[in-house]
Amino acid sequence: MAVTEKHVATLTAQLAGQKEEYKRLYAELTPEEVGYEYSALVAAAVAIAVDRRFAVNGEIAENKEVIDFVAELRSRAVQVAEIVDPTVAEQLILQNLGKGDVSNFDTKSLFTTQIVVLVGLITDEQFDEAGLTSFMQTARQVADQWIASDQ
């Protein structure tokens, strides 16, 4: 098992704001793919994006910076505020920084939060097409390493 081009294309479409393409590609994924390879890709992308934003030059951000980001992210749209529990989002980011714990949260809530946090972080990056492609290649490599070590 490994991350496929379709997994990468699906997440890339979502991060690029190509809603119809994302919906089409996501509908083609099996529940098993979503639950394993695609989830691994999302988690890897989140980890990389969190590090890029909150662990710059070896300096890990203070909790206040994470709290402020989550508050600002939730203020971007009513829908985001409704679906993102700030505690889950903050703990997700903090866990990726080695300071949080998400073990008490359900898988569905975590996955939804990962996606919203990732979209927010990538939006803030303002990647061009080449930058997003490079980011996704790195995320795929990390996800494939995680999958290989899990087998």
Side-chain angles (χ1 to χ4, degrees):
M1 292 190 274
V3 173
T4 66
E5 285 298 320
K6 183 174 278 188
H7 301 136
V8 173
T10 303
L11 186 55
T12 300
Q14 185 170 31
L15 296 176
Q18 301 166 345
K19 292 179 183 180
E20 293 307 314
E21 180 69 358
Y22 161 73
K23 287 178 186 178
R24 183 186 70 75
L25 291 168
Y26 189 83
E28 294 176 7
L29 300 178
T30 67
E32 293 78 18
E33 286 177 294
V34 171
Y36 196 67
E37 295 94 350
Y38 188 71
S39 291
L41 179 62
V42 169
V46 169
I48 294 164
V50 165
D51 279 355
R52 288 174 62 98
R53 172 71 176 260
F54 297 104
V56 180
N57 297 323
E59 293 289 323
I60 295 177
E62 297 294 324
N63 291 7
K64 181 181 181 335
E65 189 175 338
V66 172
I67 292 166
D68 290 347
F69 168 77
V70 170
E72 191 276 326
L73 176 66
R74 293 180 76 238
S75 74
R76 293 181 191 184
V78 172
Q79 182 184 11
V80 172
E82 290 173 350
I83 64 173
V84 173
D85 178 326
T87 303
V88 177
E90 291 162 8
Q91 288 301 307
L92 171 69
I93 293 168
L94 291 170
Q95 178 174 328
N96 276 283
L97 297 172
K99 304 192 300 185
D101 179 16
V102 296
S103 62
N104 293 326
F105 305 119
D106 66 275
T107 306
K108 183 178 179 186
S109 175
L110 274 174
F111 187 72
T112 300
T113 302
Q114 282 180 314
I115 294 292
V116 175
V117 167
L118 179 59
V119 168
L121 290 168
I122 295 303
T123 298
D124 291 353
E125 288 271 3
Q126 299 181 340
F127 284 130
D128 60 13
E129 186 176 337
L132 183 57
T133 298
S134 176
F135 175 85
M136 290 303 301
Q137 288 172 341
T138 303
R140 182 180 187 175
Q141 291 170 348
V142 170
D144 280 339
Q145 289 172 357
W146 290 353
I147 290 168
S149 68
D150 190 42
Q151 296 176 354

